[in-house]
Amino acid sequence: MAKDIKPELRQRNATSSNNYSSSVTNDSKTNFNENKLAQVGKTWGRARDVSFADILPPFFIMLLCPYLVIYFWTSCTHYDCSITTPILLLSEKGFTIDTIADFIFENFPKPTVEGFLLYFGWLFFQGFLYSILPGKIGFGQTTPAGHTLPYIVNGTLAWIVTHGLFVALSLGLNLFPASIIHDNWGGLLIAANVQGYLLSFFSYWKAHFYPTFADDRKFSGSWIYDIFWGIEFNPRFGKYFDFKLFFNGRPGIVAWTLINFSFAAAQYNNIGYVTNSMILLNWLHFLYVIDFFINEDWYLRTIDIAHDHFGFYLSWGDCVWLPFMYTLQSHYLVRNPIDLSWEYFSLVFFIGHFGYYVFRATNWQKDVVRRTNGDCLIWGKKAKVIRTKFETSDGKIHESLLLLSGFWGVSRHFNYVGDLLISLAMCLTCGFAHLLPYFYVIYMTILLVARINRDHHRCLGKYGKYWEEYCRAVPYKLIPFVF
Ligand code: NDP
């Protein structure tokens, strides 16, 4: 069972110097309590009381998603990224236990010593960089229990060191081929899955017996739901080794561009040059990834860090789903090299950069309005805001604000529109011969629409009547007049 909160680990409002932390106004508490309309449960945050219907999706995702990743790997590695060919071939032989077993044995990736060494060597190297590289201290949002946590923001440096070393050791000193990731992709997939599952179960166990911030845990009463969505909010080793920031940023996002680079090298090995589609894809992914690290401080206040607990969704997702599914397009372009016409190239380049502009500008508006406490210009005019109050489970009342103008007045998640345009451009680099490279934009649409609903539930619980006021002022969730 859960242990009591360790007093030394309770860092309630430990960082009052934080620019981003909300100001606490105890004197306004009575007034606020009288006025608030919807505070879901004792604290807001992840759902706690879950029904059978809430448990089914996590159950099936944990059961099936690893096979989906393996199936996509198989279709790319053995069938030129055709999603249907493996199934059609199998159906010709008949779906018996023997034919399915033969198919798995012949096609699925196998564990390899190289795969395990590379994966765990990479993971420990990233852990080492995360722990020793210097960086400024950033702060997350105040949690439902009232903690405002510090983070070491050193991702850009880790990205530069990792990529610099990889290029120097492979292309410079020829210690290993630059295509090494591509060449060991199957073995790496198995090793990453092992790591993803181990981390999920470790996090579940740690949450029960050695929680970092016990008062920020959420138990749903269902172990399936808890393994998937996580119990601990901010599991850490020591003061700064934060699971969420590390696993999402390093084995996840640093790997993204490195994998692409290695796949571009594999394409070069195969056909003697790198296609312009592969270059454009590498560029768009690079833009997205480097933006993430340059704005890593901003990431501390996004839903991943500010709302999601650390379970299978983030741990397996960061270790397996992100590196293997987000890079499907570069795997595709190795198997199906495409030279784009310059007209098509320019169109995709434009869509990607326009999407990036919307994505960055929208996220920037939210960040700047919070940083300046609303004292800033948005689209040349003084920012319009709703001043809000919310309560944490320690009973303190905090103040925050919701931006009403700029992109946040167009729809409640216009940043997602930018993200979807970038995602579409990434997929369009692969032409139209197969569906598989479009998996990313389809998945992102599902992910972001689901996020909109989760975020609505969270913000309603956190801000109550203020959120309702925002929803009345900005009725559309994503695309004006559509949704
Ligand atoms: P947002 O950055 O939109 O954050 C939502 C939070 O912002 C809310 O919970 C609320 O939190 C605050 N907020 C909501 N409305 C307002 C407002 N009007 N004014 C000020 N604050 C407001 O969502 P995400 O964290 O999901 O996404 C961040 C970015 O990351 C997006 O651009 C998204 O596209 C991208 N992303 C990419 C993914 C990928 O896999 N590639 C996955 C998910 C996201 P509070 O008030 O508590 O601060």
Side-chain angles (χ1 to χ4, degrees):
M1 271 309 292
K3 276 187 162 183
D4 277 348
I5 301 162
K6 293 179 181 168
E8 72 274 15
L9 292 175
R10 296 172 63 130
Q11 298 188 358
R12 291 187 175 163
N13 297 300
T15 49
S16 55
S17 61
N18 167 19
N19 281 341
Y20 293 89
S21 68
S22 319
S23 55
V24 179
T25 53
N26 280 313
D27 51 345
S28 57
K29 182 178 175 184
T30 318
N31 194 20
F32 172 64
N33 279 338
E34 281 165 7
N35 290 333
K36 68 185 176 184
L37 287 180
Q39 186 88 7
V40 178
K42 194 175 170 216
T43 57
W44 41 278
R46 202 202 74 185
R48 285 176 299 170
D49 306 319
V50 298
S51 66
F52 184 65
D54 295 320
I55 298 167
L56 283 183
F59 176 75
F60 283 111
I61 290 173
M62 286 195 285
L63 196 68
L64 298 178
C65 276
Y67 291 104
L68 187 66
V69 181
I70 288 175
Y71 184 80
F72 277 21
W73 178 92
T74 300
S75 80
C76 268
T77 306
H78 301 299
Y79 302 97
D80 292 337
C81 294
S82 163
I83 297 180
T84 48
T85 307
I87 291 283
L88 291 176
L89 286 177
L90 194 57
S91 71
E92 278 171 19
K93 292 182 187 166
F95 287 104
T96 65
I97 291 182
D98 283 348
T99 55
I100 293 173
D102 285 348
F103 175 82
I104 289 175
F105 187 74
E106 283 165 19
N107 289 287
F108 276 18
K110 315 245 172 342
T112 61
V113 175
E114 294 82 5
F116 276 92
L117 287 177
L118 277 175
Y119 188 80
F120 285 95
W122 149 260
L123 196 64
F124 283 112
F125 179 62
Q126 288 305 315
F128 175 69
L129 292 183
Y130 183 79
S131 307
I132 62 129
L133 289 179
K136 74 168 192 173
I137 302 293
F139 290 92
Q141 292 284 57
T142 303
T143 70
H147 304 288
T148 309
L149 301 184
Y151 295 80
I152 296 184
V153 177
N154 59 9
T156 312
L157 206 49
W159 187 93
I160 293 170
V161 170
T162 305
H163 287 71
L165 268 179
F166 189 88
V167 171
L169 298 181
S170 60
L171 298 184
L173 297 176
N174 279 322
L175 288 185
F176 52 81
S179 59
I180 188 169
I181 300 174
H182 165 270
D183 303 343
N184 288 281
W185 205 218
L188 283 168
L189 175 54
I190 299 293
N193 262 294
V194 170
Q195 159 63 14
Y197 273 96
L198 283 179
L199 185 60
S200 304
F201 290 117
F202 174 75
S203 305
Y204 182 76
W205 173 83
K206 178 181 175 311
H208 282 85
F209 297 104
Y210 295 98
T212 312
F213 299 100
D215 48 356
D216 254 326
R217 292 176 299 173
K218 291 271 197 306
F219 293 93
S220 68
S222 156
W223 62 270
I224 295 174
Y225 193 88
D226 285 348
I227 287 185
F228 184 80
W229 284 116
I231 296 170
E232 274 202 89
F233 194 36
N234 293 296
R236 289 187 166 198
F237 286 145
K239 192 173 176 195
Y240 286 116
F241 197 97
D242 184 86
F243 283 32
K244 278 201 267 188
L245 188 61
F246 173 72
F247 284 104
N248 186 54
R250 310 310 161 81
I253 297 186
V254 170
W256 196 345
T257 37
L258 209 59
I259 293 163
N260 278 340
F261 180 71
S262 184
F263 277 65
Q267 190 189 59
Y268 180 85
N269 293 345
N270 288 350
I271 60 172
Y273 72 103
V274 179
T275 59
N276 62 358
S277 52
M278 181 66 104
I279 292 171
L280 181 55
L281 176 66
N282 267 258
W283 168 252
L284 291 173
H285 280 174
F286 165 78
L287 198 62
Y288 197 71
V289 165
I290 207 66
D291 172 274
F292 172 89
F293 285 117
I294 289 173
N295 297 290
E296 196 177 11
D297 190 80
W298 151 81
Y299 175 69
L300 303 177
R301 290 168 298 284
T302 63
I303 292 177
D304 283 349
I305 300 273
H307 179 57
D308 288 332
H309 289 238
F310 193 78
F312 182 92
Y313 171 75
L314 286 179
S315 52
W316 182 85
D318 292 340
C319 295
V320 182
W321 189 263
L322 198 165
F324 287 86
M325 299 302 259
Y326 286 21
T327 56
L328 272 174
Q329 299 111 342
S330 44
H331 199 172
Y332 178 87
L333 288 175
V334 174
R335 309 286 162 188
N336 305 273
I338 298 170
D339 292 308
L340 304 175
S341 72
W342 287 107
E343 292 85 355
Y344 185 86
F345 183 101
S346 308
L347 179 69
V348 176
F349 186 89
F350 172 77
I351 296 172
H353 285 74
F354 179 67
Y356 175 71
Y357 161 74
V358 172
F359 164 84
R360 178 49 35 224
T362 313
N363 287 322
W364 177 83
Q365 287 181 352
K366 183 180 98 172
D367 217 32
V368 76
V369 83
R370 289 266 171 99
R371 242 186 303 126
T372 58
N373 194 24
D375 189 15
C376 63
L377 296 181
I378 298 290
W379 289 351
K381 292 188 183 144
K382 183 159 173 39
K384 281 194 211 159
V385 301
I386 299 174
R387 298 213 170 258
T388 67
K389 291 186 175 136
F390 66 92
E391 184 178 359
T392 45
S393 64
D394 51 13
K396 290 181 178 164
I397 304 300
H398 306 256
E399 290 174 349
S400 186
L401 48 81
L402 295 169
L403 177 59
L404 264 180
S405 52
F407 286 116
W408 296 85
V410 176
S411 79
R412 303 205 291 267
H413 288 278
F414 208 71
N415 49 351
Y416 291 175
V417 173
D419 212 332
L420 290 174
L421 285 172
I422 308 173
S423 308
L424 177 67
M426 291 166 178
C427 299
L428 285 170
T429 58
C430 297
F432 298 104
H434 282 284
L435 181 63
L436 182 135
Y438 287 84
F439 171 82
Y440 183 63
V441 67
I442 296 169
Y443 162 75
M444 282 297 282
T445 308
I446 298 168
L447 174 89
L448 294 178
V449 169
R451 245 174 200 247
I452 288 174
N453 292 329
R454 286 201 294 131
D455 192 47
H456 177 72
H457 176 267
R458 171 183 184 268
C459 290
L460 189 62
K462 182 174 179 182
Y463 296 122
K465 64 172 185 175
Y466 304 104
W467 184 253
E468 291 181 334
E469 188 186 336
Y470 177 53
C471 293
R472 275 194 300 275
V474 184
Y476 293 103
K477 295 173 183 168
L478 186 67
I479 302 172
F481 307 107
V482 180
F483 174 60

